[in-house]
Each structure stands twice: as C-alpha cells, then as structure tokens.
Amino acid sequence: MTLSFDPNSISVPKGHHIGGRSVELPGAGIEVLRPSDQQPMGTVGDGGEEAVEMAAAAARAALKTSNWAKMAPRERAKVLMRFAQLIEENNVYLGQLEAMGSSRLVSGTITGDAIRTAGVVRYFAEYCDKLEGIVTATEGGTLSYVKREPYGIVGAIVPWNFPMITAAWKFAGALAAGNAVIMKTSELTPHSLLALAELAAKAGVPAGLFNVVNGYGHTTGAAIVRHPDVMMISFTGSTQTGAAIMALAAQSGIKPVALELGGKSPQLVLADAGDLDVVAGRVSTAFMANAGQVCTAGSRIIVDEKIADELVERIVGKVRQIKAGPTWDETTTFAPIISRRQLDRIDAMVRQTVAEGGSVVTGGAPLESRNEGNFYAPTLLKDVADDNIGFREEFFGPVATVRTFADLEEGIALAAHPTYGLSASIHTSDLKKALKAADGIEAGMVWVNQHGRSPEFTYTAGGFKGSGFGKDMGRAGFEEFTRQKAVWVNYA
Ligand code: NAD
C-alpha cells in the first residue's frame, strides 16, 4: 500500500469542539498553512474568553449529568477503550491529517502517531480501576486513609511538534482519572486534535467532557489558565511560556501546573561506543528527526576526542543522504520546519552563534525551498562556547553543536547545562561507564545506546530545572491528574 496522498483530498475539521459538537463563533480567524508548501489548510477562530467560558459551562454540566467521576471505573474504561478503537480504525485519515498540517511525515503518522495515540488512550483507560490510595498507621479506634480524586476540570495546552500524541498524553490521563478537559493545541496545528474530539464524541465520551478551543496562546491559552473553574493546568511547550503560565496560574487562584518544557539534550559518545557508522546514524537521527523539532532532540554532541573527527565525518555523510520534501510523500525523510517564522528564528540563531565565535561544519542556511515549504539544512556547529547563544538557547530545529572531551569526568561535566535538564544519552559498550554517566547527568530522562523516548507507554517523561516539572505518561503521568484527600475517622 502506498502511504503518499493528495493533501487537497483530505477533509479538514472546523470550529472549536465544545459540548460534544463543532461550534463556530464570530470573530477573527487564524489562517493555518501547510508547512510543506505554505498553502492554506483551513481557518480556525481565536476563541478567547468566550469559547473558554462556553467550554467550562459544558464541562461543569457534563461532570454533573454524566456522573463521569463517580461511575464504576470499569464503565469509564469501556468508553475510553471504544474511543481508542475508533482512533485505530481511523488511523489513515488521522495520519494524513497530521502529516498535512504538521511537520510529521506520512511515513510515520499513519502507522506511528495515529496508532500510538490510540495506544495512549488504551494505556490510560486501563488505569481507570487501578487508582489506589493508602491507609495510614493510627491509634486504635481511628481510621485514616488517603484517596486520590479527580480535579474536576483540567486545562491542557500543547505545542505543534507532535500534535496528536502530546495532546493524548494529557486528555487520556485526565479523562481516565475522572476529569473533564479543556484543551488548546497550537494555533499552527489545530486540526488533528479537533478530529480526535469528534471521535471521542462518537465513542460515547459524554458531551462536554472533552472540549477543544482554538486560538492564540496569549488570548485563548491565557483564558484557560485564568478560568476559575479550571482547577489544574498541564502544559507542554517552551520554557518561556511555561514560566508565563506558572505566573498566571499563581495570580488566578493558585492552581497546580505540570510543565513539560524545552531542552538542550546532550549525546555523550564514548570512544568505545561501537561501530561508528551505526553510532553516527543514531546520533544524527537524534538531532534531525522531525527536523529537530523535538523537545528531547540531541542537540549537543559531546564526543571523545579520539573518535571525534571520524564521527563528525560520518555524521556529515548521513546528512547528505536526507531527502527533504512534502510530508505527504512517503519517500520524504527530512521534515519541514513548522512555519516561516520558526525557520527565520532558527536561521537568525545560527547566524548569531557564528557571530559569537561558532563555526559551521555543515549546513547553516535554509535549504533551497521545495514547493515553497520551510526547510532548513541539517546543521553541525563547533567552537560554541558556554556564553554563546548556540549553547545557551534551544534551536528547536535540525541543529547540533559538537564538543570534545578527554576523559569521562570531563564529558559528564560538559553534558551539564545551566538552564535545561530534559534528557541525555550515553553511547558506550561499557556498562560501568554508562551507569556512572547516567548518575552524573542532571536530566529527567537518560538513555543508554539510544536517544529518544522508549516506545513503551509505561515510560514516564519529564524534565528537571528549566525543562519543567510534573510527568507525562506512566503511572506518574496518570496520578498527575488526581489530587490527594486525607480522611480521618474516629470510631472509638
Ligand atoms: P510555545 O510555548 O510557544 O507554545 C505552546 C503552547 O502554549 C501553544 O498552544 C501556544 O499557543 C500556548 N501559549 C503560548 N503563550 C501562552 C500563554 N501566555 N498562555 C497560555 N498558553 C500559551 O511552544 P511551541 O513553539 O508551540 O513548541 C515548541 C516548544 O515546546 C519547545 O520549546 C519544545 O522544547 C517544547 N516541547 C516540550 C516537550 C516536552 O515534553 N518537554 C514536548 C514537545 C515540545
């Protein structure tokens, strides 16, 4: 079966999804462009306070009438399992919609993103009846227990780089725990989440429990954070926006926030890493996949000086093999940048890195545009010192810096970053060194001989320091959507 498709043949959802149906509100629209060719894909509204209030009213009503939080957990699980099944059955449509509207390649969205989104929903559905509390030690005649309860309405805001999957990490956990959700995805990639919301309604998720409002961050996103009925915020996005959301949540009634933020992840390559061609493939995928628009992108290559020249040469060889092209062409291997603005930002940052003393090993400029798409050449930079912007800030594009070290201690020290601590990888055939480096690196996720999240849903993701706090996926990513209540009973 060919996975390539004609993007003009795909139907695109409209409006916001509030109270179980599509709702269009008057007001200014946001024109969404396809990153592969800059052609218009559709227009969505900037919902602002009006849409968020409608969604909150729908969620309040749904929580009351549907008994979602209090029904037998297995019944809740059944509904979510049906939802997962529908996602799976619609994987071709969802995968095509995702490929059309984002930087994700169709070679991965149908069999990957869409199927994984169904998997995430199923994973959390299975948690519905596994929510447990504790009974604490007390004197006779008293009973003390701690139970976990849903918050009520959860606000979830996500970015554009994996629109369906990152959204599912939030809505599936929140719904499984008994909450209603008001979601906003990026104004650059609104459509696939709308399609998921329609499937949720078809699967029997009670109308009003799963709402999607579209719009800009400073208007609609901020309105979600500020709304008094939204009791908890789960956010994925940049560190700057995460800080703004934290401040807004503090000013809006003190509500908890879970933040999955940016990264500047090191790839520590030891001299005993193994077949250098294999290692070069792994290391280059880690900064080039999705054109580097991955929070955990391995954007800092830190390599033993004994193998540095050969590794860099082999990485440059891998870079030459990429095929940039439209996301709907199954032979494309290298993704576009999500928007012209982001492309310009990456280019400006690379130029600034060079102005501050860095030098270009390969790349360093936009790729000759194909179909007017936004493509940036995979770029390797060296001589990037600690005070250089190329070290301090996240590129969020296919750009990596290279540094060398003389011994493991120096390598571990270089892997540290003053701001970020999202993830790191170590490439070595020596288990002792791998464990030593894993202990020494300050990051929320550490991988040995791979770079990137485990495909298992059980794997809890989240960062340290400026990369945020709170977890997505795994048991912790489910419990994130609950709050603990301590109950004390005197029966003496
Ligand atoms: P962004 O922070 O600009 O936007 C993320 C979301 O927040 C969007 O929906 C946006 O509309 C909204 N937003 C913006 N300002 C807001 C405000 N003041 N109030 C409320 N909402 C607001 O991020 P982006 O450019 O869309 O995505 C890229 C960033 O996301 C990168 O920094 C990347 O590392 C990070 N990211 C992190 C993870 C993770 O798991 N740690 C995963 C994916 C992406």
Side-chain angles (χ1 to χ4, degrees), residues 157-162 166 169-170 184-188 215-225 235-242 244-245 248 259-263 293-296 338 342 394 396 420 422 445 453 461-463 467-468 472:
I157 301 174
V158 292
W160 42 261
N161 52 342
F162 293 83
T166 21
W169 290 350
K170 317 276 190 205
K184 192 191 93 62
T185 184
S186 168
E187 56 278 14
L188 299 170
Y216 295 114
H218 65 282
T219 50
T220 307
I224 295 175
V225 180
F235 170 75
T236 297
S238 65
T239 298
Q240 292 75 4
T241 306
I245 284 181
L248 199 54
L259 304 175
E260 292 282 338
L261 308 176
Q293 301 160 106
V294 182
C295 54
T296 53
I338 193 71
Q342 177 67 3
E394 187 184 31
F396 218 60
Y420 296 109
L422 187 59
M445 294 172 271
R453 284 192 171 114
S467 294
D472 270 329

Side-chain angles (χ1 to χ4, degrees), residues 24-86:
E24 299 213 39
L25 297 172
I30 302 172
E31 189 176 50
V32 181
L33 302 179
R34 309 190 298 217
S36 295
D37 62 2
Q38 293 292 290
Q39 291 303 305
M41 172 155 174
T43 303
V44 292
D46 182 16
E49 288 189 355
E50 187 188 358
V52 173
E53 176 45 40
M54 277 179 79
R60 280 193 305 265
L63 283 171
K64 248 193 210 152
T65 55
S66 71
N67 204 31
W68 185 249
K70 299 207 172 119
M71 68 173 57
R74 220 48 233 161
E75 295 306 310
R76 209 158 60 226
K78 271 190 210 160
V79 176
L80 293 176
M81 287 291 185
R82 272 202 303 274
F83 180 23
Q85 184 64 29
L86 274 185

Side-chain angles (χ1 to χ4, degrees), residues 119-130:
V120 172
V121 175
R122 213 168 264 137
Y123 173 78
F124 281 120
E126 285 159 0
Y127 264 118
C128 286
D129 60 357
K130 290 163 194 74

Side-chain angles (χ1 to χ4, degrees), residues 175-249:
L175 288 171
N179 299 286
V181 284
I182 302 177
M183 288 218 63
K184 192 191 93 62
T185 184
S186 168
E187 56 278 14
L188 299 170
T189 54
H191 295 110
S192 55
L193 182 57
L194 287 173
L196 288 176
E198 284 173 12
L199 291 178
K202 270 192 199 147
V205 173
L209 284 182
F210 184 174
N211 304 287
V212 177
V213 289
N214 292 307
Y216 295 114
H218 65 282
T219 50
T220 307
I224 295 175
V225 180
R226 273 199 306 263
H227 199 286
D229 293 342
V230 173
M231 304 307 283
M232 184 258 172
I233 298 291
S234 179
F235 170 75
T236 297
S238 65
T239 298
Q240 292 75 4
T241 306
I245 284 181
M246 209 172 156
L248 199 54

